[in-house]
């Protein structure tokens, strides 16, 4: 769609002096042919072009000197539309001879072009200058009506009437240097170490998906989410594509469903891989800048920015009742994260990884990458936890989870995590001689604090437990029969996903 400029006829200048009564009327101006009418400029969506001045190259009659008079100034005609008819008079005077007084009015250029005043004839009396100034003032008002024309007309026009309003930045993009710490500089450094993962299942239908990962070490290990590669873990295929377009086949080294972390290895890893530096997620503060890189909806190498909106946000990837759900005490960010960002790095302002983007909250409710697009509530696994899991998977191929040795209710929320009356399959809810039993906890106790963090539900308790390692001693606050008690639990361990 283009927008056409519309011209408005210029009225005669009321301040201009009237013509003497005796001289004959000027000849009727001949309308300009259609082919000489300048086309109206149009505004295109992709390019803006400055309106070009139109110069009337038709020769103008040479004005004759006015009769010698000391008290009667020479009148200057105000510009009028080219097609305007001559004014009607009672008696039509004879046409003035060529070169007679007054000269024919100059043709009015198309709207949007500076008006060109008629230059004075050589040797004309200096008292005609005042009239020329009046004509220039009229022209400047017309140009001013189209936006700042007087400066453009006077300062920018060349001798040949062509000018340009293009402004140069003074520095070509190729030579522009981004300072360290800017988003552009961080992204440029990190993108070569971020990959897009294509996972295809071994089923005949070839189901799969797209996710993201990043280079963990120079040996070719790639860290991502478990849910990115789960469909290809058993008999499927995995391919990894770098930002330069080069692709490599990969295989799963290990997966941790509960943590939603997986490690891949390139089958023919290239030399010179650059791992992303790992930050310290424990030192992240709310309000810190964040940069997310991933392939939302398959759009590889997409960079988005935001801040850390919250810390220690308990998040379950499902509804909290399934055995294969993942839990995290997440970093919350408002950086745009969408399906396909899963497994990608969440960076701080220095370019260090502080988390692995894993889940989003949508207006339809629930967490996970199967939901609608980002509404500014994204969640990332803290890198300190992801690092411990990745190292364990690289060493043994199996995840290790810290446990308290008690079954808690996963459906109640708001009052704490209640130790169930009975465990799975009729087993005791508190494992005999387990960590909770040794700390004196019993069925029916409501755990309300774990370390320095309040507990409002079973998923929140698991999220906090999994931020620790087996063998860690943690203070637990609980309620029993309306009374508050404390105990210290030394965490046990469970190997593999059950």
């Amino acid at each position: 769609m283009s927008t056409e400029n519309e011209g408005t006829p210029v009225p005669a200048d009321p301040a201009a002096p009237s013509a003497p009564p005796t001289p004959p009327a000027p000849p009727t101006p001949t309308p300009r042919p259609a082919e000489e009418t300048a086309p109206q400029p149009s505004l295109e969506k992709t390019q803006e072009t400055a309106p070009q001045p139109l110069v009337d190259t038709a020769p103008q009659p040479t004005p004759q000197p006015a009769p010698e008079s000391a008290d009667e100034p020479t009148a200057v005609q105000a510009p009028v539309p080219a097609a305007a008819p001559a004014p009607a008079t009672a008696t039509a005077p004879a046409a003035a001879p060529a070169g007679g007084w007054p000269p024919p009015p100059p043709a009015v250029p198309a709207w949007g072009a500076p008006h060109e005043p008629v230059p004075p004839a050589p040797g004309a009396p200096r008292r005609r200058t005042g009239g020329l100034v009046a004509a220039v003032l009229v022209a400047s008002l017309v140009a001013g009506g189209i936006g700042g024309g007087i400066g453009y007309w006077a300062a920018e026009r060349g001798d040949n009437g062509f000018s340009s309003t293009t402004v140069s930045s003074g520095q070509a993009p190729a030579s522009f240097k981004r300072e360290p710490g800017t988003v552009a500089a961080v992204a440029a450094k990190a993108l070569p170490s971020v990959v897009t993962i294509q996972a295809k299942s071994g089923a005949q239908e070839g189901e799969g998906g797209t996710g993201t990962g990043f280079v963990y070490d120079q040996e070719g290990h790639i860290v991502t989410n478990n849910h990115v590669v789960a469909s290809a873990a058993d008999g499927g295929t995995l391919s990894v594509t770098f930002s330069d377009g080069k692709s490599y086949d990969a295989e799963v080294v290990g997966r941790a469903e509960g943590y939603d972390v997986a490690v891949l290895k390139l089958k023919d890893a290239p030399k010179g891989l650059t791992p992303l530096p790992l930050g310290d997620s424990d030192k992240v503060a709310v309000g810190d800048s964040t940069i997310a890189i991933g392939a939302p909806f398959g759009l590889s190498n997409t960079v988005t920015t935001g801040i850390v909106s919250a810390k220690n946000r308990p998040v379950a990837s499902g509804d909290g009742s399934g055995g294969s759900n993942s839990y995290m005490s997440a970093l919350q960010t408002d950086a745009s994260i969408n399906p396909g960002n899963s497994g990608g790095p969440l960076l701080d302002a220095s370019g260090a990884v502080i988390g692995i983007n894993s889940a989003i909250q949508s207006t339809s409710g629930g967490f996970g990458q199967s939901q609608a697009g980002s509404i500014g509530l994204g969640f990332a696994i803290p890198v300190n936890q992801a690092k411990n899991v990745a190292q364990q998977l690289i060493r043994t191929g199996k995840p290790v989870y810290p446990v308290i040795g008690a079954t808690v209710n996963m459906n109640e929320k708001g009052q704490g995590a209640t130790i169930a009356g009975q465990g799975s399959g009729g087993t005791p809810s508190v494992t005999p001689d387990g960590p909770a039993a040794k700390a004196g906890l019993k069925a029916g106790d409501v755990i309300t604090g774990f370390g320095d963090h309040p507990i409002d539900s079973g998923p929140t308790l698991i999220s906090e437990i999994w931020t620790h390692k087996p063998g860690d001693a943690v203070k637990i606050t609980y309620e029993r029969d309306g009374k508050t008690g404390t105990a210290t639990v030394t965490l046990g361990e469970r190997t593999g996903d059950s």
Side-chain angles (χ1 to χ4, degrees):
M1 174 180 178
S2 63
T3 302
E4 299 295 339
N5 293 322
E6 297 180 359
T8 302
V10 182
D13 187 356
S18 60
T22 55
T28 302
T30 303
R32 300 179 65 180
E35 59 270 16
E36 292 184 8
T37 302
Q40 298 295 336
S42 63
L43 303 179
E44 303 293 341
K45 292 181 180 180
T46 57
Q47 181 178 6
E48 283 190 15
T49 305
Q52 303 299 324
L54 303 180
V55 179
D56 190 354
T57 58
Q60 301 292 334
T62 304
Q64 298 298 322
E68 298 258 333
S69 175
D71 56 357
E72 185 167 348
T74 301
V76 178
Q77 295 279 345
V80 296
T89 57
T91 303
W101 190 96
V108 178
W111 190 92
H115 187 78
E116 296 287 348
V118 180
R126 296 182 61 85
R127 61 175 174 269
R128 300 171 62 91
T129 303
L132 292 177
V133 171
V136 172
L137 283 176
V138 173
S140 69
L141 290 174
V142 173
I146 62 171
I150 186 62
Y152 163 72
W153 184 85
E156 296 295 333
R157 78 191 259 292
D159 291 338
N160 61 356
F162 180 82
S163 65
S164 173
T165 56
T166 302
V167 179
S168 174
S169 68
Q171 203 168 23
S175 63
F176 185 78
K177 295 182 180 179
R178 276 86 182 170
E179 295 296 330
T182 63
V183 174
V186 170
K189 187 175 181 180
L191 276 168
S193 300
V194 179
V195 300
T196 300
I197 300 172
Q198 292 284 348
K200 294 183 179 180
S201 69
Q204 196 171 14
E205 294 83 2
E207 294 180 355
T210 301
T212 308
F214 62 91
V215 177
Y216 181 76
D217 57 27
Q218 293 182 332
E219 286 69 42
H221 288 108
I222 305 294
V223 172
T224 185
N225 282 145
N226 171 68
H227 73 260
V228 169
V229 302
S231 62
D234 298 319
T237 59
L238 290 167
S239 63
V240 171
T241 304
F242 284 79
S243 61
D244 61 2
K246 295 181 179 179
S247 296
Y248 302 87
D249 292 334
E251 59 186 357
V252 176
V253 172
R255 300 187 298 131
E257 292 182 2
Y259 294 120
D260 197 18
V261 174
V263 175
L264 313 181
K265 192 173 191 303
L266 302 181
K267 292 183 178 179
D268 188 15
K271 295 182 180 180
L273 290 175
T274 304
L276 286 182
L278 304 182
D280 187 348
S281 53
D282 290 339
K283 294 182 180 180
V284 170
V286 173
D288 283 350
S289 298
T290 58
I291 302 172
I293 304 180
F297 298 102
L299 302 174
S300 302
N301 310 316
T302 296
V303 178
T304 56
T305 63
I307 62 170
V308 175
S309 304
K311 296 179 59 177
N312 305 311
R313 187 73 78 191
V315 172
S317 63
D319 58 6
S321 61
S324 61
N325 291 329
S326 62
Y327 304 92
M328 68 186 93
S329 182
L331 295 176
Q332 180 181 325
T333 181
D334 65 346
S336 182
I337 298 174
N338 288 286
N341 276 104
S342 293
L346 184 68
L347 310 174
D348 62 13
S350 70
V353 180
I354 57 174
I356 300 177
N357 299 318
S358 181
I360 60 174
Q361 174 77 55
S362 73
T363 53
S364 59
F367 296 91
Q369 287 288 12
S370 62
Q371 304 298 323
S374 172
I375 58 172
L377 294 174
F379 303 94
I381 303 167
V383 72
N384 290 5
Q385 176 181 336
K387 177 181 177 181
N388 294 335
V389 177
Q391 290 175 343
Q392 184 68 36
L393 293 176
I394 292 173
R395 285 197 305 265
T396 68
K398 295 181 179 181
V400 175
Y401 298 94
V403 296
I404 63 171
T407 302
V408 296
N409 191 315
M410 300 296 288
N411 298 320
E412 297 178 357
K413 185 176 182 180
Q415 303 299 321
T418 303
I419 299 178
Q422 193 174 39
S424 177
T427 60
S429 59
V430 178
T431 304
D433 204 31
K438 291 180 179 179
L441 296 177
K442 300 178 180 181
D445 289 347
V446 180
I447 299 175
T448 58
F450 189 84
D452 297 330
H453 301 283
I455 303 299
D456 63 355
S457 65
T460 301
L461 175 62
I462 295 177
S463 298
E464 289 299 329
I465 291 174
W466 286 359
T467 62
H468 294 267
K469 298 179 182 179
D472 287 351
V474 184
K475 178 183 177 181
I476 288 181
T477 303
Y478 64 93
E479 292 183 359
R480 179 188 298 168
D481 299 329
K483 297 180 180 180
T484 301
T486 59
T488 299
V489 175
T490 301
L491 300 177
E493 69 178 55
R494 171 172 61 85
T495 300
D497 291 302
S498 58

